[in-house]
Amino acid sequence: MTPLFCVHLCSTWTLVGLIWVIQLVVYPQFFRIGAAEFGAFHFAHCWRIGILIAPLLLIEFGSAVWLLLQGWRDVLFEVSAALMLVNGLSTAVVQAPMHLKLMQGFDAPTVRRLIWTNWVRTISWTLRGILLGCLATR
């Protein structure tokens, strides 16, 4: 295992852990915030999660590109890289617009849709982690 692959593997598994915490702990807690406080709470959530997740996403994406440029063409790696596109598209097309709507205030149907649709990213990142773990054990 090269140091670059190790960085990629670690960044992915850190994101796997983070997405599971968001899915099972953070998003369900949105229902426990009072309507008057929800806007400020949600803005703070997005800001703080963004500070945490942005560098990890850059490391994950950058290391994947670098590995591809170095000639990594194993099918497991290529499938895991394709799942990064699933995560990015899901975030940009589905979750981000819902978060923008929630910036205006609490909306229970939107929170329910956010939790339900976030399973796409949760499963996708988990599969990425598993695929990379399989590569690491070869």
Side-chain angles (χ1 to χ4, degrees):
M1 179 168 26
T2 68
L4 180 59
F5 180 78
C6 187
V7 166
H8 185 68
L9 179 68
C10 290
S11 64
T12 296
W13 272 103
T14 303
L15 287 162
V16 170
L18 187 57
I19 197 70
W20 276 99
V21 169
I22 290 168
Q23 182 66 27
L24 298 179
V25 178
V26 177
Y27 284 171
Q29 292 298 317
F30 283 6
F31 288 108
R32 300 180 61 88
I33 307 301
E37 299 86 18
F38 186 83
F41 169 83
H42 183 259
F43 180 82
H45 157 77
C46 290
W47 176 251
R48 290 180 176 137
I49 286 292
I51 289 171
L52 181 61
I53 207 166
L56 291 167
L57 290 172
L58 287 173
I59 292 167
E60 183 188 44
F61 180 75
S63 60
V65 169
W66 196 350
L67 287 164
L68 287 168
L69 290 173
Q70 287 182 348
W72 280 61
R73 292 298 181 263
D74 188 289
V75 69
L76 295 179
F77 185 74
E78 290 173 338
V79 170
S80 78
L83 288 170
M84 288 175 56
L85 296 175
V86 170
N87 294 342
L89 285 172
S90 182
T91 299
V93 175
V94 180
Q95 282 79 34
M98 283 189 248
H99 278 292
L100 288 174
K101 182 174 182 174
L102 291 172
M103 292 275 183
Q104 307 305 312
F106 180 76
D107 181 69
T110 301
V111 173
R112 279 193 280 287
R113 277 192 310 275
L114 181 65
I115 292 168
W116 179 249
T117 61
N118 194 57
W119 280 112
V120 170
R121 295 188 300 181
T122 304
I123 292 166
S124 177
W125 252 308
T126 302
L127 288 174
R128 274 188 44 68
I130 291 168
L131 291 171
L132 295 174
C134 290
L135 276 173
T137 60
R138 284 189 180 173

